[in-house]
Amino acid sequence: MTNRTTDNDSDVLFDESRRVRQEDTIQILNKHYKFVKERLLTYQSPATGLFPRVDDPKSVETHVRDNVYCAVALWALRQAYKRIDSDLGRSYELGQSAVKCMRGILYCWMRQCQKIEDFKSNQIPENAIYSKFHLHTGDPLDGTPEYGHLQLDAVSLYLLYMVQMIDSKLQLVYTTEEVSFIQNLVYYIERTYRTPDFGMWERGSKYNNGSPELHASSIGLTKAALEAMNGFNVFGIEGTNWSVIYVDIDAHNRNRTIFETLLPRESSSKNTDAALLCVVGFPAFSMHDNFLVEKTVCKCVRKLRGRYGFKRFLRDGAFTVLEDTSRKYYHPSEIKNFDGIECEWPIWFVYMIINGIFLNKREQVEEYKQALESILMKDSKGEIYMPHYYYVPRDYLEDERKTPGSTEKRPMPGEVRHLWDQAVYAICQMMLDDVLKVAELDPIRRYLRPSERPKPNQRYSAFQGYVSDLAVQVVLVSESVRLQQLLATYGIRTQTPHQIEPIQIWPPSELVKAYSYLGASPKLGLTGRPLRPIGVLGTSKIYKIMGKTVLCYPITFEISDFYMSQDMHLLLDDIKSDLVFLSKCWKLHGRPIYVLLIREEMARGENAMNMLTMLAAFKHGEFENMRLQVGRLQSMISSGCIEHLDFLDTEDLKELQFVAYADDDTKSFLYKSLTDVSQIVLMPSEESPSSFRDFEKHSTQELTALTADCDSVEVMSNLLFVIRQREGPNFRLTDGTYVDNQIEKLTRHAAKTRKWSVVRLCSSALSKVVDSLAPSLAGLLVKGRHITIGVFGKSEYEISEPIRPNEAKEILYSYCFPYEPQEAVLQQEMIIHLATYCYTEPQLFDGILKVRLGWFVQAMKIELQNRFMDLPVHSLSVCHRTK
């Protein structure tokens, strides 16, 4: 009886203790609700759900970034209230207020669908969606080109928290058109890695001269948003297959690579920036390399921390007493006036506290908590608030420059509060009071490594982070049965497309066609995914498309518009590079499957034995420090990465047809073994002119007549080049064919016979551009190397920031083509190779700040004259090697 009484007493004490704790929790939550109600909800527009930038009732200016943080603060308190039963409806109120704000931003952006569509094809500031709106109408503000609306970090932040909120069972997306628009926002940010923007501070470079630049903070937030969005159903648990968002894994990888390359810098003009604190930590958690994170944070603390907060970046003139607010931009060299007197921003103390809580660093939390409490202010009502910034008074400028941190700084004039500050401060206080847990603020567990996060839906590809012992699966596919038999005599076992059935092999162009329907919305005027090539990561997945199982061979094996893929030396190098790239950069669940397509052209001639040696080495399971698994495709499907393209399973697309790659046994075989050389060779005439310029004095009629009886590849290329320059692409020759078609045919034939001077002249005549030119330029630029394009001795164009492919084409054909037509394509080859070497052998570029391609070509000419006498530089193989 006594024991029973004791047990009952313990239960009573436990219940009483739990009740007391719950009452304390409710009191704390009510305190935070009062703060949020007074500091945030009071100012929310009842019409649009948006928040103004400041707490002035007359303010009608609202910014996307500020609104996202306000919505996050409301949502965070809603998350905290969910743990108690009697919340008086506050959990629902807070959640719906956050939804209204996020949908308000969506409403403002959906009115700019044409800008989204334009930006997909031309990433320039004029095509950027607006980031500043009227509070009550949602109309864009500052629609002039002078304002930096191109803020890719703000769009990425919005997408990241859309995923977080939907994952917590809030409903943000309602219709099919909204799903399509969200998918197009993903397209909007996918090329952040090479799109200069104006960044978090809306000013671009630190010189504030109106020029955007690549920002690590924007790229890092894009990386986080892409990872969160990949395979996510924006309808939540009630979603269907067509409400899933897809991400280009190759675009994600480029953003990741450039981000890691830039860190710990922010940009080319900013050595560091406080914005990086919210990228390597809360809310993005874009980097999980502890060394790089610590290096970035320590650099920010060392260079930017002050007694009143963090400077945004060095020589930041914003809100200093010396800044001339009557001018939008600074004069050249004006930023030196702000050296040492930059404003300090308390909000970054708050970020450091939150990051400390996430990382369980109690000393950091306590340190910045005390620093923050010492600079909080009281308004006229006696309420505590956090000032937006502290500035150096005019009388103390020289003292501050001489002894940094020695003067008393003053808070922002007036008692105006910025809602971004108040929102982040509210989140911080909830976490310090232990009513908001890290898992509630980050439901998708961004703060954990990818491998430690909850397992995603296996129907769609998902990130898992770095895999140390990854085995790349390689499938050898012969173009024809005849080729398969010949390879078998050398011990190389392959499969034909017919033997792989019912699995289909597609060219990457067909996959591009399939993805072009993703996100298309006639109602909104959106066309879906741009016709961008699918990279090697994307072609290494298994696709389920309209009831079919599909694999794609990489773009390496595509008969490209550009001639580099037709050089066998380079093709073998590209295959090795693809495999190395997959082994290092594959971050998805499952193993990659690399389809190595062997064409007849690859299996004959002088390079056949090199290919056979490489394929034989694959069978050993290791190749150049990579693990490879070569075998039948059917045995690899179960361990591969599967992607279901469910968006194609609709009534509107049921008649859609795709063309799979099939066996090709139609070709005639003029060889009995792999070492036979192709017998189709045109010998040049002994009297062949050395240049197309020798034909410029002849009339078009004479040149056209000469093409009918010409048996020299070199002469034919010169004739067609001159005709094309005079008459244009639609001129018909004597046999009725268009001149462009004849040049294209000649290009392919010259590539087979390794006449590279002819190939380059024909390619330049057709104004060809290699697909990977823009990413290669971006890779060189983020490594700190500027590029100049032009012919030696003529004017040059210096590229100091990433540019779009059409811009690169215009530069090449304006600065090279008029003087040396072949250099317009030769310099493209050099850019591709230099970008590769910059990553694989960076020591070669030590001490080099500017790469002058025209001078490079001139040096090659001199070297060739010294070593090979009369060998022209334009005749070199695409992958020429000399000892």
Side-chain angles (χ1 to χ4, degrees):
M1 187 70 178
T2 303
N3 291 337
R4 185 178 301 173
T5 303
T6 303
D7 292 341
N8 291 336
D9 291 343
S10 298
D11 291 342
V12 170
L13 290 174
F14 177 78
D15 292 340
E16 180 65 20
S17 175
R18 184 172 61 180
R19 185 184 63 80
V20 171
R21 287 200 305 271
Q22 186 171 8
E23 289 179 355
D24 291 342
T25 300
I26 292 173
Q27 289 181 1
I28 296 172
L29 287 173
N30 289 341
K31 177 190 72 173
H32 289 295
Y33 176 79
K34 181 175 182 293
F35 179 91
V36 167
K37 188 80 171 178
E38 293 177 352
R39 301 288 176 89
L40 298 177
L41 282 174
T42 300
Y43 304 101
Q44 186 174 22
S45 168
T48 62
L50 301 177
F51 293 87
R53 169 156 274 195
V54 297
D55 63 354
D56 183 353
K58 298 180 181 179
S59 175
V60 295
E61 179 183 312
T62 177
H63 292 242
V64 169
R65 190 180 298 100
D66 301 19
N67 272 268
V68 173
Y69 278 110
C70 289
V72 172
L74 302 179
W75 167 72
L77 185 55
R78 176 253 188 186
Q79 293 287 88
Y81 262 115
K82 282 174 61 178
R83 285 189 284 123
I84 64 174
D85 293 332
S86 55
D87 62 1
L88 303 177
R90 290 174 177 175
S91 173
Y92 183 81
E93 177 197 6
L94 292 164
Q96 293 309 112
S97 297
V99 168
K100 188 171 181 63
C101 175
M102 296 291 282
R103 287 192 57 78
I105 299 172
L106 187 63
Y107 163 75
C108 293
W109 277 342
M110 288 186 71
R111 297 165 64 186
Q112 305 173 52
C113 287
Q114 188 56 50
K115 280 186 167 291
I116 293 275
E117 190 65 21
D118 293 340
F119 193 84
K120 288 191 296 185
S121 58
N122 194 7
Q123 296 86 35
I124 58 175
E126 290 77 13
N127 290 341
I129 54 176
Y130 295 117
S131 56
K132 186 192 294 189
F133 302 99
H134 189 282
L135 177 64
H136 302 298
T137 66
D139 294 332
L141 296 180
D142 276 333
T144 58
E146 287 77 18
Y147 179 74
H149 283 286
L150 181 52
Q151 300 167 32
L152 295 168
D153 66 298
V155 181
S156 301
L157 182 70
Y158 176 82
L159 292 176
L160 174 61
Y161 269 104
M162 171 174 281
V163 174
Q164 295 275 25
M165 293 182 187
I166 294 174
D167 193 74
S168 69
K169 300 182 181 180
L170 285 181
Q171 188 84 30
L172 267 65
V173 181
Y174 296 165
T175 67
T176 307
E177 285 70 31
E178 290 176 2
V179 174
S180 297
F181 185 81
I182 300 298
Q183 181 66 63
N184 277 270
L185 284 181
V186 171
Y187 300 147
Y188 184 86
I189 65 171
E190 277 182 343
R191 290 195 165 183
T192 303
Y193 67 90
R194 66 170 180 81
T195 306
D197 73 340
F198 293 96
M200 185 174 290
W201 311 126
E202 306 170 1
R203 290 191 171 195
S205 75
K206 71 185 295 181
Y207 305 106
N208 190 26
N209 54 10
S211 61
E213 63 180 355
L214 281 183
H215 291 90
S217 55
S218 295
I219 299 172
L221 266 164
T222 293
K223 173 181 177 288
L226 293 178
E227 291 172 356
M229 274 287 172
N230 186 48
F232 186 75
N233 197 314
V234 292
F235 279 177
I237 58 175
E238 304 295 332
T240 183
N241 55 10
W242 48 261
S243 55
V244 173
I245 302 300
Y246 294 81
V247 167
D248 182 351
I249 181 62
D250 291 279
H252 166 268
N253 180 72
R254 293 189 185 104
N255 280 287
R256 179 189 62 81
T257 303
I258 300 298
F259 177 56
E260 293 174 355
T261 302
L262 280 172
L263 289 181
R265 292 186 68 90
E266 161 70 345
S267 65
S268 59
S269 70
K270 299 169 188 169
N271 187 266
T272 187
D273 193 304
L276 292 173
L277 295 175
C278 64
V279 177
V280 299
F282 168 84
F285 297 103
S286 294
M287 176 57 62
H288 293 281
D289 181 335
N290 293 334
F291 173 76
L292 199 50
V293 170
E294 193 67 22
K295 186 177 180 180
T296 303
V297 173
C298 288
K299 190 174 185 180
C300 286
V301 172
R302 185 176 70 254
K303 292 184 174 291
L304 303 179
R305 183 183 173 181
R307 197 194 333 169
Y308 299 89
F310 281 69
K311 301 173 183 177
R312 302 195 307 185
F313 52 88
L314 299 178
R315 293 190 171 185
D316 173 26
F319 302 106
T320 61
V321 295
L322 296 183
E323 184 180 46
D324 185 353
T325 56
S326 65
R327 286 186 284 111
K328 174 72 175 176
Y329 301 129
Y330 295 159
H331 294 309
S333 303
E334 186 177 357
I335 62 169
K336 66 182 180 182
N337 299 333
F338 311 124
D339 191 13
I341 62 163
E342 303 92 340
C343 294
E344 295 177 2
W345 307 72
I347 190 174
W348 299 108
F349 282 171
V350 179
Y351 276 101
M352 291 298 288
I353 295 172
I354 296 175
N355 286 334
I357 295 173
F358 268 100
L359 300 175
N360 199 24
K361 294 183 176 181
R362 297 183 180 179
E363 293 182 359
Q364 176 177 315
V365 172
E366 192 60 33
E367 175 188 354
Y368 285 97
K369 178 183 175 184
Q370 292 178 7
L372 179 64
E373 289 174 347
S374 66
I375 59 172
L376 295 177
M377 303 292 293
K378 285 188 177 181
D379 59 17
S380 56
K381 299 179 182 179
E383 296 178 348
I384 293 177
Y385 73 97
M386 182 176 69
H388 191 45
Y389 61 84
Y390 280 83
Y391 70 98
V392 180
R394 189 177 296 275
D395 296 339
Y396 301 148
L397 294 179
E398 291 305 318
D399 293 339
E400 182 66 21
R401 287 194 178 105
K402 291 178 181 177
T403 311
S406 62
T407 62
E408 293 289 334
K409 295 181 174 60
R410 295 178 184 173
M412 174 184 176
E415 296 182 357
V416 176
R417 303 181 183 92
H418 279 247
L419 268 61
W420 178 6
D421 300 337
Q422 306 309 311
V424 178
Y425 180 76
I427 295 169
C428 175
Q429 293 304 307
M430 285 183 247
M431 300 190 79
L432 287 173
D433 287 341
D434 201 30
V435 294
L436 179 65
K437 308 296 183 183
V438 294
E440 295 168 335
L441 186 57
D442 186 11
I444 63 174
R445 308 297 194 270
R446 287 287 315 163
Y447 68 97
L448 298 176
R449 292 179 176 275
S451 58
E452 299 171 358
R453 295 171 191 163
K455 296 297 180 183
N457 188 338
Q458 295 298 319
R459 189 171 180 83
Y460 307 100
S461 62
F463 295 98
Q464 66 168 345
Y466 177 71
V467 181
S468 59
D469 59 343
L470 177 70
V472 179
Q473 301 180 126
V474 180
V475 178
L476 305 180
V477 179
S478 292
E479 184 180 38
S480 63
V481 174
R482 167 74 179 190
L483 180 59
Q484 181 189 37
Q485 294 169 348
L486 288 171
L487 289 170
T489 63
Y490 290 85
I492 307 298
R493 295 185 177 180
T494 62
Q495 294 176 277
T496 63
H498 178 71
Q499 292 169 340
I500 290 173
E501 292 178 354
I503 303 170
Q504 295 184 358
I505 302 293
W506 282 12
S509 57
E510 289 297 292
L511 191 57
V512 171
K513 175 183 172 183
Y515 270 117
S516 67
Y517 295 93
L518 176 61
S521 174
K523 283 186 178 180
L524 298 177
L526 299 172
T527 58
R529 184 184 184 274
L531 299 179
R532 302 167 182 166
I534 304 291
V536 68
L537 294 174
T539 56
S540 297
K541 294 191 286 187
I542 304 163
Y543 292 91
K544 298 286 188 177
I545 303 176
M546 303 174 75
K548 305 180 184 71
T549 302
V550 174
L551 271 86
C552 284
Y553 58 79
I555 196 172
T556 302
F557 303 103
E558 187 82 301
I559 301 177
S560 172
D561 285 340
F562 205 72
Y563 57 84
M564 289 179 68
S565 62
Q566 300 177 49
D567 183 279
M568 273 303 301
H569 277 306
L570 186 62
L571 180 60
L572 294 178
D573 279 351
D574 284 346
I575 292 172
K576 296 174 186 177
S577 298
D578 284 351
L579 295 173
V580 171
F581 177 76
L582 281 172
S583 66
K584 291 182 178 180
C585 298
W586 183 261
K587 306 292 182 183
L588 301 177
H589 284 281
R591 293 175 177 174
I593 299 179
Y594 187 82
V595 179
L596 201 162
L597 179 63
I598 307 173
R599 300 181 188 275
E600 293 167 12
E601 293 81 2
M602 299 164 56
R604 60 184 177 187
E606 59 186 85
N607 296 302
M609 295 310 298
N610 293 333
M611 186 195 68
L612 288 173
T613 302
M614 182 183 71
L615 296 180
F618 287 175
K619 296 192 296 182
H620 299 303
E622 286 195 13
F623 180 74
E624 297 189 356
N625 299 320
M626 294 179 292
R627 286 186 60 204
L628 300 180
Q629 181 180 338
V630 182
R632 299 175 68 252
L633 176 57
Q634 288 83 348
S635 64
M636 299 178 179
I637 294 294
S638 60
S639 58
C641 174
I642 300 177
E643 189 80 87
H644 290 77
L645 302 192
D646 294 328
F647 62 89
L648 293 172
D649 296 331
T650 62
E651 192 68 22
D652 296 338
L653 301 176
K654 67 179 181 179
E655 301 298 329
L656 193 61
Q657 297 294 322
F658 296 97
V659 179
Y661 188 81
D663 295 9
D664 189 357
D665 287 313
T666 61
K667 295 184 179 180
S668 61
F669 294 90
L670 303 178
Y671 56 93
K672 296 180 180 180
S673 72
L674 298 177
T675 54
D676 290 342
V677 184
S678 175
Q679 299 178 17
I680 306 174
V681 180
L682 289 179
M683 299 302 296
S685 170
E686 292 182 0
E687 298 180 358
S688 298
S690 60
S691 170
F692 66 89
R693 302 188 193 279
D694 295 333
F695 289 108
E696 290 180 338
K697 59 185 177 181
H698 297 281
S699 67
T700 301
Q701 185 178 1
E702 292 174 328
L703 297 177
T704 305
L706 287 172
T707 61
D709 300 321
C710 181
D711 60 353
S712 167
V713 175
E714 287 84 355
V715 173
M716 179 65 80
S717 65
N718 292 328
L719 292 170
L720 294 177
F721 181 86
V722 176
I723 293 172
R724 209 270 187 190
Q725 293 305 110
R726 287 181 185 173
E727 308 297 337
N730 297 321
F731 181 79
R732 289 182 181 270
L733 301 173
T734 53
D735 60 357
T737 60
Y738 288 109
V739 64
D740 268 16
N741 294 341
Q742 196 65 25
I743 293 176
E744 189 69 59
K745 181 179 178 180
L746 184 63
T747 303
R748 291 195 296 268
H749 178 76
K752 291 179 182 179
T753 55
R754 302 180 62 79
K755 298 184 182 300
W756 298 112
S757 179
V758 173
V759 171
R760 291 186 175 102
L761 182 64
C762 292
S763 297
S764 65
L766 298 173
S767 302
K768 290 193 174 185
V769 179
V770 66
D771 284 334
S772 54
L773 185 63
S776 296
L777 282 170
L780 285 166
L781 292 169
V782 297
K783 288 287 188 178
R785 274 76 189 182
H786 290 191
I787 309 295
T788 65
I789 291 175
V791 176
F792 178 77
K794 305 295 182 181
S795 60
E796 298 174 304
Y797 186 94
E798 182 175 346
I799 300 176
S800 57
E801 62 182 26
I803 58 177
R804 298 175 298 281
N806 57 340
E807 289 179 308
K809 178 179 179 179
E810 183 179 352
I811 294 168
L812 283 160
Y813 284 93
S814 297
Y815 285 81
C816 296
F817 188 83
Y819 312 106
E820 290 287 347
Q822 289 149 312
E823 285 200 29
V825 292
L826 179 61
Q827 294 196 15
Q828 294 182 51
E829 297 176 43
M830 297 177 67
I831 292 169
I832 301 299
H833 289 304
L834 287 170
T836 301
Y837 284 127
C838 198
Y839 278 102
T840 58
E841 300 183 56
Q843 71 278 2
L844 297 177
F845 293 81
D846 290 346
I848 297 177
L849 298 178
K850 184 184 296 185
V851 180
R852 304 180 74 174
L853 297 180
W855 289 57
F856 240 114
V857 175
Q858 182 65 16
M860 291 165 62
K861 290 179 180 178
I862 295 172
E863 181 68 12
L864 288 171
Q865 288 174 359
N866 293 336
R867 299 174 64 180
F868 299 99
M869 298 301 291
D870 59 349
L871 180 64
V873 68
H874 302 137
S875 298
L876 288 176
S877 166
V878 178
C879 193
H880 188 83
R881 292 180 177 84
T882 59
K883 294 183 179 180

